[in-house]
Each structure stands twice: as C-alpha cells, then as structure tokens.
Amino acid sequence: MSLDTMPVLTQPETEEMILARQRKAVGRRRRNTWLLRLAIAVGWLGSWELAATFWIDPFFYSKPSRIWERLAGWFTAGTDFGSIWYQLWVTVEEAVFGFVLGALAGVVLGVILGRSQYLADVLAPFIKAANAVPRIVLASLFVIWFGLGLASKVATVIVLVFFAVFFNAFTGAREVDRNLIDNARILGAGRLQVLRSIVLPSATSWILSSLHTAFGFALIGAVVGEYAGSKAGIGFLIANAQGTFDSAGIYAAMIIITVVALVAEWGIGHLEGRLLRWRPSVSSNSETAVF
C-alpha cells in the first residue's frame, strides 16, 4: 500500500473545540441578526424619506430627516416649554410612581384573591366592571378631580398597571401545586409560611412577566394623562405638536417614549434574570429567545 492510498486518521474533537465552534456559531448568528435588523431599519427609513420627498406630503406625514432635526433641536436648544430633560423627567416620574403603586396593589390583591375562592367570588363582578371602564375617560375624570399636577397622572398609571399585574398574580397564585401546599401544612406550616415559602415563589414568574407589559402601560398612562391635561411632560409636547400641526414633533416624542420603554424593558429583564436564577433553563441549545 502506497503512502498516497493510506487512510488519514482524524483527531477526535475535544470539548474545548466543540465549545469554541458553538461560540463562533452563536457569534455569527448574533452578528447576522443585527445586520438584518440594521438593513430593515435603513430600508424602512430610506423608503419613508424618499416617499415624503417625491410622492407624499411631508406636512402631514413628516419624514426621518425632519424628525431627526426636531430631536436634535430639543436636546440641544430645548423645547418651547423648557428643557427636554425636564419634560422627560416629568413623564418618567409619573410612570414610575404609578407603576410601583399599581404593581404592589395588583400583586397583593391578586395573590389574596388567588388564594381565597370566597373573596374572589364576591369581588369578581366589581373587578370585571372596573376593568371594562375606558381608561381615557378615567384620565379625564382624574384631571378634574386631582388637577393638572402629578396626582392625576399617577392615578391614571395606577389604573392601567393594576389590572395588568393583578390578573397575572391571581393566575400565578391559583396555579400553585396543591400537593406542595398540603405537604407543607402536614409538616405544620401556617398560612403565612405557605404564602411566603410556596405561593409567592411559585407566582414570581407570572408576576415578573406581567411587569414587562405593565411598565409599557405605565408610560402610556402617563402620556395619556398629560395629553388630557397637564403643564409639562412628553404627552404635553404631543398635545401641543398636534395643535400646531407639527407631525415631526409628534414622531419625535413617540421616539423618546419608545427609547425609555426599551431601556425599562432591559432593566426589568435583567431583574427577572437575577430573581429567577434558581429556575432551570428551558432549553439547552445555543439559541435564545428574543421576545
């Protein structure tokens, strides 16, 4: 047998080689994902710019270049009503206060009713009726009741956040394994011990998942409250831009709110990851969910 026809012995892959190949594949997939996202954004904004330049009226639809100019002007020279940072602070303050109060009320009442069938039966029609009331109507009433200041906006945010958190907390408390509770009571655990050691940890994932949506509702509530009547805030800027037919200003305010929501979403996701580190991973492969 000649040397040319002799079989070539391949060296088996080590664990380090396999991990390195997987890391490379994950990095390539992440890079391709971001490149595709960038291409979609550039294509969308470019087509909008071209359409507003040659085919549609930018007075009504605006265009990315005008929106960018408005954002640059707000963050450098300020708005007609003061610094953009002050306007943003007013909206974030209202959203955060209402978010905290609404989330706490939703968790407490949701867990209590989730563990008490009698109270749930008694209060069910009242909760459903309150949830059916249009939030915009309540925002207008809160402005009449509490004035144009912080209180009316916080009240609107609380109403929006409460129901988003309440129903998840209620379901999470109901979904607790009954066998765990029975075993804990056999071992002598009281109601508070069962609630603290079993019910709340089991409902944590339900509650945290609702917070992602709830903070978005908090920002919506703050903006809607400001739009209904206020002296400052991003919603106030949107209302003023609408009154002056400033479509670029409306889009610019929407972009600012979107960025704030994305930052808050990242923070809540980071908090969720830290609080749920005890939970086993649902997937062992290298691909992770993006939503």
Side-chain angles (χ1 to χ4, degrees):
M1 180 181 295
S2 64
L3 295 177
D4 295 336
T5 60
M6 290 182 63
V8 179
L9 298 178
T10 58
Q11 184 180 4
E13 285 188 317
T14 62
E15 183 178 355
E16 290 78 10
M17 297 172 62
I18 296 174
L19 292 176
R21 189 176 71 252
Q22 290 180 343
R23 285 194 294 268
K24 185 177 180 180
V26 171
R28 183 168 58 251
R29 180 180 183 274
R30 184 179 295 115
R31 182 182 65 252
N32 293 338
T33 300
W34 279 104
L35 288 175
L36 182 58
R37 290 172 176 171
L38 180 61
I40 293 173
V42 171
W44 169 50
L45 294 175
S47 61
W48 183 5
E49 182 76 20
L50 289 174
T53 303
F54 298 105
W55 297 295
I56 61 178
D57 189 350
F59 178 81
F60 296 105
Y61 300 98
S62 190
K63 55 183 179 178
S65 58
R66 290 189 179 182
I67 298 170
W68 174 255
E69 291 174 0
R70 183 53 46 82
L71 285 171
W74 280 357
F75 282 96
T76 54
T79 70
D80 295 335
F81 307 96
S83 169
I84 185 61
W85 296 108
Y86 171 72
Q87 309 296 331
L88 181 58
W89 166 254
V90 170
T91 300
V92 171
E93 181 184 27
E94 296 162 353
V96 170
F97 282 166
F99 173 76
V100 172
L101 295 176
L104 286 176
V107 169
V108 172
L109 191 60
V111 171
I112 290 176
L113 296 188
R115 300 311 306 164
S116 175
Q117 184 63 47
Y118 179 72
L119 287 178
D121 292 339
V122 171
L123 298 179
F126 301 103
I127 293 175
K128 292 178 181 178
N131 187 41
V133 175
R135 307 298 192 271
I136 297 179
V137 175
L138 289 177
S140 301
L141 284 175
F142 291 151
V143 170
I144 296 174
W145 295 345
F146 305 122
L148 300 177
L150 178 69
S152 60
K153 316 306 181 296
V154 171
T156 304
V157 174
I158 289 174
V159 171
L160 283 169
V161 170
F162 170 80
F163 290 103
V165 176
F166 167 80
F167 289 112
N168 271 39
F170 177 83
T171 304
R174 282 286 178 91
E175 294 295 325
V176 179
D177 190 349
R178 187 68 189 179
N179 292 328
L180 290 176
I181 297 178
D182 293 339
N183 291 336
R185 288 178 175 172
I186 290 174
L187 295 175
R191 287 182 175 270
L192 290 179
Q193 289 178 311
V194 170
L195 183 65
R196 184 179 63 253
S197 302
I198 298 177
V199 176
L200 287 179
S202 298
T204 298
S205 59
W206 288 84
I207 294 171
L208 290 177
S209 65
S210 70
L211 296 183
H212 292 277
T213 306
F215 194 82
F217 284 158
L219 288 173
I220 292 172
V223 171
V224 168
E226 291 167 352
Y227 187 85
S230 65
K231 300 177 182 178
I234 302 299
F236 173 72
L237 294 180
I238 293 175
N240 179 74
Q242 181 191 19
T244 57
F245 296 95
D246 180 15
S247 57
I250 296 175
Y251 282 116
M254 290 170 56
I255 290 173
I256 293 173
I257 288 296
T258 301
V259 171
V260 173
L262 291 175
V263 172
E265 172 72 17
W266 174 85
I268 294 174
H270 182 70
L271 175 64
E272 182 179 9
R274 291 181 63 88
L275 292 178
L276 298 181
R277 283 183 297 180
W278 54 270
R279 187 175 60 182
S281 177
V282 297
S283 177
S284 59
N285 57 27
S286 59
E287 296 184 1
T288 56
V290 294
F291 298 107

Coordinates of all heavy atoms in Angstrom, one line a residue, residues 225-282:
G225 N -52.5 60.8 30.4 CA -52.9 61.7 31.4 C -52.4 63.1 31.1 O -53.1 64.1 31.2
E226 N -51.2 63.2 30.6 CA -50.6 64.5 30.2 C -51.4 65.1 28.9 O -51.6 66.3 28.8 CB -49.1 64.4 29.9 CG -48.3 64.1 31.1 CD -46.9 63.7 30.7 OE1 -46.6 63.5 29.5 OE2 -46.1 63.5 31.7
Y227 N -51.7 64.2 28.0 CA -52.4 64.6 26.9 C -53.8 65.2 27.2 O -54.3 66.1 26.6 CB -52.6 63.5 25.9 CG -53.2 63.8 24.6 CD1 -52.4 64.3 23.5 CD2 -54.6 63.7 24.3 CE1 -52.9 64.6 22.3 CE2 -55.1 64.0 23.1 CZ -54.3 64.5 22.1 OH -54.8 64.8 20.9
A228 N -54.4 64.6 28.3 CA -55.8 65.0 28.7 C -55.7 66.4 29.4 O -56.7 67.2 29.3 CB -56.4 64.0 29.7
G229 N -54.6 66.7 30.0 CA -54.4 68.0 30.7 C -53.2 68.0 31.6 O -53.1 67.2 32.5
S230 N -52.2 68.8 31.2 CA -51.0 68.9 32.1 C -50.3 70.2 31.7 O -50.7 71.0 30.8 CB -50.1 67.7 31.8 OG -49.6 67.7 30.5
K231 N -49.2 70.5 32.5 CA -48.4 71.7 32.3 C -47.0 71.3 31.7 O -46.3 72.2 31.3 CB -48.2 72.4 33.6 CG -49.5 72.8 34.3 CD -49.2 73.5 35.6 CE -50.5 73.9 36.3 NZ -50.3 74.5 37.7
A232 N -46.7 70.0 31.7 CA -45.4 69.6 31.2 C -45.4 68.1 31.0 O -46.4 67.4 31.4 CB -44.3 69.9 32.2
G233 N -44.4 67.6 30.3 CA -44.3 66.2 30.0 C -44.3 65.9 28.5 O -44.6 66.7 27.7
I234 N -44.0 64.6 28.2 CA -43.9 64.2 26.8 C -45.3 64.3 26.2 O -45.5 64.6 25.0 CB -43.3 62.8 26.6 CG1 -41.9 62.8 27.2 CG2 -43.3 62.4 25.2 CD1 -40.9 63.8 26.5
G235 N -46.3 63.8 26.9 CA -47.7 63.9 26.4 C -48.1 65.3 26.2 O -48.9 65.6 25.2
F236 N -47.7 66.3 27.0 CA -48.0 67.7 26.8 C -47.3 68.2 25.5 O -48.0 68.9 24.7 CB -47.4 68.5 28.0 CG -47.5 70.0 27.8 CD1 -48.8 70.6 27.9 CD2 -46.4 70.7 27.6 CE1 -48.8 72.0 27.7 CE2 -46.5 72.1 27.4 CZ -47.7 72.7 27.5
L237 N -46.1 67.7 25.2 CA -45.5 68.1 23.9 C -46.2 67.5 22.7 O -46.3 68.2 21.7 CB -44.0 67.6 23.9 CG -43.0 68.2 24.9 CD1 -41.7 67.6 24.8 CD2 -43.0 69.7 24.8
I238 N -46.7 66.3 22.9 CA -47.5 65.7 21.8 C -48.8 66.5 21.6 O -49.2 66.7 20.4 CB -47.8 64.2 22.1 CG1 -46.5 63.4 22.1 CG2 -48.8 63.6 21.1 CD1 -46.8 61.9 22.6
A239 N -49.5 66.8 22.7 CA -50.7 67.6 22.5 C -50.4 69.0 21.8 O -51.2 69.4 21.0 CB -51.4 67.8 23.9
N240 N -49.3 69.6 22.2 CA -49.0 70.9 21.6 C -48.6 70.7 20.2 O -49.0 71.5 19.3 CB -47.8 71.5 22.4 CG -47.4 72.8 21.8 OD1 -48.1 73.9 22.0 ND2 -46.3 72.8 21.1
A241 N -47.9 69.6 19.8 CA -47.5 69.4 18.5 C -48.7 69.1 17.6 O -48.8 69.6 16.4 CB -46.5 68.2 18.4
Q242 N -49.7 68.4 18.1 CA -50.9 68.2 17.4 C -51.7 69.5 17.1 O -52.2 69.7 16.0 CB -51.8 67.2 18.2 CG -53.1 66.9 17.4 CD -54.1 66.1 18.3 OE1 -54.0 66.2 19.5 NE2 -55.1 65.5 17.7
G243 N -51.7 70.3 18.1 CA -52.4 71.6 18.0 C -51.8 72.5 17.0 O -52.5 73.4 16.4
T244 N -50.5 72.4 16.7 CA -49.8 73.2 15.8 C -49.5 72.5 14.5 O -48.7 73.0 13.7 CB -48.5 73.7 16.4 OG1 -47.7 72.6 16.8 CG2 -48.7 74.6 17.6
F245 N -50.1 71.3 14.3 CA -49.9 70.5 13.1 C -48.4 70.2 12.9 O -47.9 70.2 11.7 CB -50.5 71.2 11.8 CG -51.9 71.4 11.9 CD1 -52.5 72.6 12.4 CD2 -52.8 70.3 11.5 CE1 -53.9 72.7 12.5 CE2 -54.2 70.5 11.6 CZ -54.7 71.7 12.1
D246 N -47.7 69.9 14.0 CA -46.3 69.6 13.9 C -46.1 68.1 13.9 O -45.9 67.5 15.0 CB -45.5 70.3 15.1 CG -44.1 70.0 15.1 OD1 -43.5 69.5 14.0 OD2 -43.4 70.2 16.1
S247 N -46.2 67.4 12.8 CA -46.1 66.0 12.8 C -44.7 65.5 13.2 O -44.6 64.4 13.8 CB -46.5 65.4 11.4 OG -45.6 66.0 10.4
A248 N -43.7 66.2 12.8 CA -42.3 65.8 13.2 C -42.2 65.8 14.8 O -41.5 64.9 15.3 CB -41.3 66.8 12.6
G249 N -42.8 66.8 15.4 CA -42.8 66.8 16.9 C -43.5 65.6 17.5 O -43.0 65.1 18.5
I250 N -44.6 65.2 16.9 CA -45.3 64.0 17.4 C -44.4 62.8 17.3 O -44.3 62.0 18.2 CB -46.6 63.8 16.7 CG1 -47.6 65.0 16.9 CG2 -47.3 62.5 17.1 CD1 -48.9 65.0 16.2
Y251 N -43.8 62.6 16.1 CA -43.0 61.4 15.9 C -41.8 61.5 16.9 O -41.3 60.5 17.4 CB -42.5 61.4 14.5 CG -43.5 60.8 13.5 CD1 -44.0 61.6 12.5 CD2 -43.9 59.5 13.6 CE1 -44.9 61.2 11.6 CE2 -44.9 59.0 12.7 CZ -45.4 59.9 11.7 OH -46.3 59.4 10.8
A252 N -41.2 62.7 17.1 CA -40.0 62.8 17.9 C -40.4 62.4 19.4 O -39.6 61.7 20.0 CB -39.5 64.2 17.9
A253 N -41.5 62.9 19.8 CA -42.0 62.5 21.2 C -42.2 61.0 21.3 O -41.9 60.4 22.3 CB -43.2 63.3 21.6
M254 N -42.8 60.4 20.2 CA -43.0 58.9 20.2 C -41.7 58.2 20.3 O -41.6 57.2 21.0 CB -43.8 58.6 19.0 CG -45.2 59.0 19.0 SD -46.0 58.8 17.3 CE -45.7 57.0 17.1
I255 N -40.7 58.7 19.6 CA -39.4 58.0 19.6 C -38.8 58.1 21.0 O -38.2 57.1 21.5 CB -38.4 58.6 18.6 CG1 -38.9 58.3 17.2 CG2 -37.0 58.2 18.8 CD1 -38.1 59.0 16.1
I256 N -38.9 59.2 21.7 CA -38.3 59.3 23.1 C -39.0 58.4 24.0 O -38.4 57.7 24.8 CB -38.5 60.8 23.5 CG1 -37.6 61.7 22.7 CG2 -38.2 60.9 25.0 CD1 -37.9 63.2 23.0
I257 N -40.3 58.3 23.9 CA -41.1 57.3 24.8 C -40.7 55.9 24.5 O -40.5 55.1 25.4 CB -42.6 57.5 24.6 CG1 -43.0 58.8 25.3 CG2 -43.4 56.4 25.2 CD1 -42.8 58.9 26.8
T258 N -40.5 55.6 23.2 CA -40.1 54.2 22.8 C -38.7 53.9 23.4 O -38.5 52.8 23.9 CB -40.0 54.1 21.3 OG1 -41.3 54.4 20.8 CG2 -39.6 52.7 20.8
V259 N -37.8 54.8 23.3 CA -36.4 54.5 23.9 C -36.5 54.3 25.4 O -35.9 53.4 25.9 CB -35.5 55.7 23.6 CG1 -34.2 55.6 24.3 CG2 -35.2 55.8 22.1
V260 N -37.3 55.1 26.1 CA -37.5 54.9 27.5 C -38.1 53.6 27.8 O -37.6 52.8 28.8 CB -38.4 56.0 28.1 CG1 -38.7 55.8 29.6 CG2 -37.7 57.4 28.0
A261 N -39.1 53.1 27.0 CA -39.7 51.8 27.2 C -38.7 50.7 27.0 O -38.7 49.7 27.7 CB -40.9 51.7 26.3
L262 N -37.8 50.8 26.0 CA -36.9 49.8 25.7 C -35.8 49.7 26.8 O -35.4 48.6 27.2 CB -36.2 50.1 24.4 CG -37.0 49.9 23.1 CD1 -36.3 50.3 21.9 CD2 -37.5 48.5 23.0
V263 N -35.4 50.8 27.4 CA -34.5 50.8 28.5 C -35.1 50.2 29.7 O -34.5 49.3 30.4 CB -34.0 52.2 28.8 CG1 -33.2 52.3 30.1 CG2 -33.2 52.8 27.7
A264 N -36.3 50.5 30.0 CA -37.0 49.9 31.1 C -37.2 48.4 30.9 O -37.1 47.6 31.9 CB -38.4 50.6 31.3
E265 N -37.5 48.0 29.7 CA -37.7 46.6 29.4 C -36.4 45.8 29.6 O -36.4 44.7 30.2 CB -38.1 46.4 27.9 CG -38.1 45.0 27.4 CD -39.3 44.2 27.9 OE1 -40.2 44.8 28.5 OE2 -39.2 43.0 27.8
W266 N -35.3 46.4 29.3 CA -34.0 45.8 29.5 C -33.7 45.7 31.0 O -33.3 44.6 31.5 CB -32.9 46.6 28.9 CG -31.5 46.1 29.2 CD1 -30.8 45.1 28.6 CD2 -30.7 46.6 30.3 NE1 -29.6 44.9 29.3 CE2 -29.5 45.8 30.3 CE3 -30.8 47.6 31.3 CZ2 -28.4 46.0 31.2 CZ3 -29.8 47.7 32.2 CH2 -28.6 47.0 32.2
G267 N -34.1 46.7 31.8 CA -33.9 46.7 33.2 C -34.7 45.6 33.9 O -34.3 44.9 34.8
I268 N -36.0 45.5 33.5 CA -36.9 44.5 34.1 C -36.4 43.1 33.7 O -36.5 42.2 34.5 CB -38.3 44.8 33.6 CG1 -38.8 46.1 34.2 CG2 -39.3 43.6 34.1 CD1 -40.2 46.5 33.7
G269 N -36.0 42.9 32.4 CA -35.5 41.6 32.0 C -34.2 41.2 32.8 O -34.1 40.1 33.2
H270 N -33.4 42.2 33.1 CA -32.2 41.9 33.9 C -32.6 41.6 35.3 O -32.0 40.6 35.9 CB -31.3 43.2 33.9 CG -30.0 43.0 34.7 ND1 -29.0 42.2 34.3 CD2 -29.6 43.5 35.9 CE1 -28.0 42.2 35.2 NE2 -28.3 43.0 36.1
L271 N -33.5 42.3 35.9 CA -34.0 41.9 37.2 C -34.7 40.6 37.3 O -34.5 39.8 38.2 CB -35.0 43.0 37.7 CG -35.8 42.7 39.0 CD1 -34.8 42.8 40.2 CD2 -36.8 43.8 39.2
E272 N -35.4 40.2 36.2 CA -36.1 38.9 36.2 C -35.0 37.8 36.1 O -35.2 36.8 36.7 CB -37.0 38.9 34.9 CG -37.7 37.6 34.8 CD -38.6 37.5 33.5 OE1 -38.5 38.5 32.7 OE2 -39.4 36.6 33.4
G273 N -34.0 38.0 35.3 CA -32.9 37.0 35.2 C -32.2 36.8 36.6 O -31.9 35.7 36.9
R274 N -32.0 37.8 37.4 CA -31.4 37.7 38.7 C -32.3 37.0 39.7 O -31.9 36.2 40.5 CB -31.0 39.1 39.2 CG -29.8 39.7 38.4 CD -29.4 41.0 39.0 NE -28.9 40.9 40.3 CZ -27.7 40.7 40.7 NH1 -26.8 40.5 39.7 NH2 -27.3 40.6 41.9
L275 N -33.6 37.4 39.6 CA -34.5 36.8 40.6 C -34.9 35.3 40.3 O -35.2 34.6 41.2 CB -35.8 37.6 40.7 CG -35.7 39.0 41.3 CD1 -37.0 39.8 41.2 CD2 -35.1 39.0 42.7
L276 N -34.8 34.9 39.0 CA -35.2 33.6 38.6 C -34.0 32.7 38.3 O -34.1 31.8 37.5 CB -36.1 33.7 37.5 CG -37.5 34.4 37.7 CD1 -38.3 34.4 36.5 CD2 -38.2 33.7 38.9
R277 N -32.8 33.0 38.9 CA -31.6 32.2 38.6 C -31.8 30.8 39.1 O -31.1 29.9 38.6 CB -30.4 32.9 39.2 CG -29.9 34.1 38.5 CD -28.6 34.6 39.1 NE -28.8 35.1 40.4 CZ -27.9 35.6 41.2 NH1 -26.7 35.7 40.8 NH2 -28.2 36.1 42.4
W278 N -32.7 30.6 40.1 CA -32.9 29.3 40.6 C -33.6 28.4 39.6 O -33.6 27.1 39.7 CB -33.7 29.4 41.9 CG -35.0 30.1 41.8 CD1 -35.2 31.4 41.9 CD2 -36.2 29.6 41.4 NE1 -36.5 31.8 41.7 CE2 -37.2 30.6 41.4 CE3 -36.7 28.3 41.1 CZ2 -38.5 30.5 41.0 CZ3 -38.0 28.1 40.7 CH2 -38.9 29.2 40.7
R279 N -34.3 29.0 38.7 CA -35.2 28.2 37.8 C -34.3 27.6 36.7 O -33.5 28.2 36.1 CB -36.2 29.1 37.1 CG -37.3 28.4 36.3 CD -38.3 29.3 35.8 NE -37.7 30.4 34.9 CZ -38.4 31.4 34.4 NH1 -39.7 31.4 34.7 NH2 -37.9 32.3 33.7
P280 N -34.5 26.3 36.4 CA -33.7 25.6 35.4 C -34.0 26.2 34.0 O -35.2 26.6 33.8 CB -34.1 24.1 35.5 CG -35.5 24.1 36.2 CD -35.4 25.3 37.1
S281 N -33.0 26.1 33.2 CA -33.2 26.7 31.8 C -34.2 25.8 31.0 O -34.1 24.5 31.2 CB -31.9 26.7 31.1 OG -32.0 27.1 29.8
V282 N -35.0 26.4 30.2 CA -36.0 25.6 29.4 C -35.4 25.0 28.2 O -36.0 24.2 27.5 CB -37.2 26.5 29.1 CG1 -37.9 26.9 30.3 CG2 -36.8 27.7 28.2

